[in-house]
Amino acid sequence: MLYISKGIVCLESVAGNLFLERGNQKFQLQGREASLWLRGRFGFNVTESEAEEQAVLCLGDKGLAEMEEETSPVYKYRLLTRCVCCPVKQNYRMSSRLSGLERQLDTWMRKAGIRLSVAELVFLVEHQVSDQDLLYEKNRQKLVETIYTDETIRDNVLEHQMEQAEHRDEVVEALVLLLKKKKMLIV
């Protein structure tokens, strides 16, 4: 089973006890659940046994993981469409080199004026939308109108269209690299 962890590690975590926060809820994980959550913290992970699958299902029930039965790129995309990707507050001491696409996605997530979904990020890359005049809160409506048209405004239409996008896998991989580089969190 393919999965990715959701939530934020709290500072009070100590050996043997992992404290997480997601939304306004706090969680304490131990043992297998803590280990599996940590393995899926910075990217996709795959369970290796029935016991691990059961533990990941428990994490999913708590809202601390998203999972899929298949591991192909389309399922990675689908999994991420159920997550919220949030940029980490800038820490200039922890500067990582970013590729052009990673930098582009990071800029969109930090400066768009709205929280962009994975499908919306794929749309922006797929259609080569320039961030000029679309960034910041003052341009939020213009950005929304750029992404959502009569063809994409209905429920889940954009997600389904972007599932077929040429640049889907590149965007998913770049988002995972941002996660690994600690530039993004999944909540």
Side-chain angles (χ1 to χ4, degrees):
M1 172 185 303
L2 177 74
Y3 74 96
I4 198 162
S5 301
K6 299 184 339 185
I8 301 168
V9 175
C10 297
L11 295 177
E12 62 263 16
S13 292
V14 293
N17 290 301
L18 179 62
F19 294 93
L20 303 173
E21 188 173 331
R22 182 163 183 275
N24 292 327
Q25 290 186 290
K26 291 195 178 212
F27 300 89
Q28 178 182 354
L29 300 180
Q30 295 177 320
R32 181 176 282 132
E33 282 187 358
S35 174
L36 288 166
W37 188 91
L38 288 169
R39 284 178 23 202
R41 180 180 184 191
F42 294 118
F44 298 108
N45 197 28
V46 178
T47 57
E48 298 172 359
S49 68
E50 182 67 33
E52 285 187 358
E53 281 189 27
Q54 292 306 312
V56 168
L57 288 171
C58 288
L59 289 172
D61 289 343
K62 295 175 185 176
L64 297 175
E66 285 295 335
M67 68 234 43
E68 283 286 348
E69 288 297 322
E70 302 288 329
T71 60
S72 70
V74 72
Y75 286 95
K76 290 178 179 180
Y77 166 79
R78 288 178 183 172
L79 193 151
L80 280 183
T81 62
R82 297 190 305 272
C83 297
V84 177
C85 300
C86 301
V88 173
K89 290 183 181 175
Q90 289 282 19
N91 183 347
Y92 293 101
R93 292 177 296 148
M94 278 186 54
S95 178
S96 297
R97 293 185 189 263
L98 301 179
S99 72
L101 180 56
E102 291 167 5
R103 192 176 332 355
Q104 180 184 11
L105 294 172
D106 187 60
T107 298
W108 278 117
M109 287 190 299
R110 287 183 193 287
K111 298 178 180 179
I114 59 172
R115 181 94 51 214
L116 292 167
S117 70
V118 171
E120 291 165 341
L121 290 167
V122 172
F123 176 92
L124 293 168
V125 172
E126 186 75 10
H127 292 90
Q128 301 175 355
V129 176
S130 168
D131 60 17
Q132 188 173 341
D133 300 326
L134 293 177
L135 295 179
Y136 306 107
E137 194 171 322
K138 67 181 181 181
N139 295 314
R140 177 183 356 204
Q141 187 63 32
K142 191 174 180 181
L143 175 59
V144 169
E145 290 171 359
T146 299
I147 297 170
Y148 290 99
T149 64
D150 289 340
E151 292 84 37
T152 60
I153 196 68
R154 292 178 308 253
D155 287 344
N156 299 319
V157 169
L158 183 67
E159 286 79 7
H160 293 298
Q161 285 180 354
M162 293 304 102
E163 187 173 293
Q164 306 303 317
E166 179 181 338
H167 297 286
R168 177 200 70 209
D169 297 344
E170 294 170 53
V171 171
V172 168
E173 182 61 31
L175 288 170
V176 171
L177 289 172
L178 287 171
L179 186 63
K180 286 179 183 176
K181 293 176 180 181
K182 300 178 182 173
K183 297 286 188 181
M184 179 183 91
L185 295 171
I186 294 183
V187 295

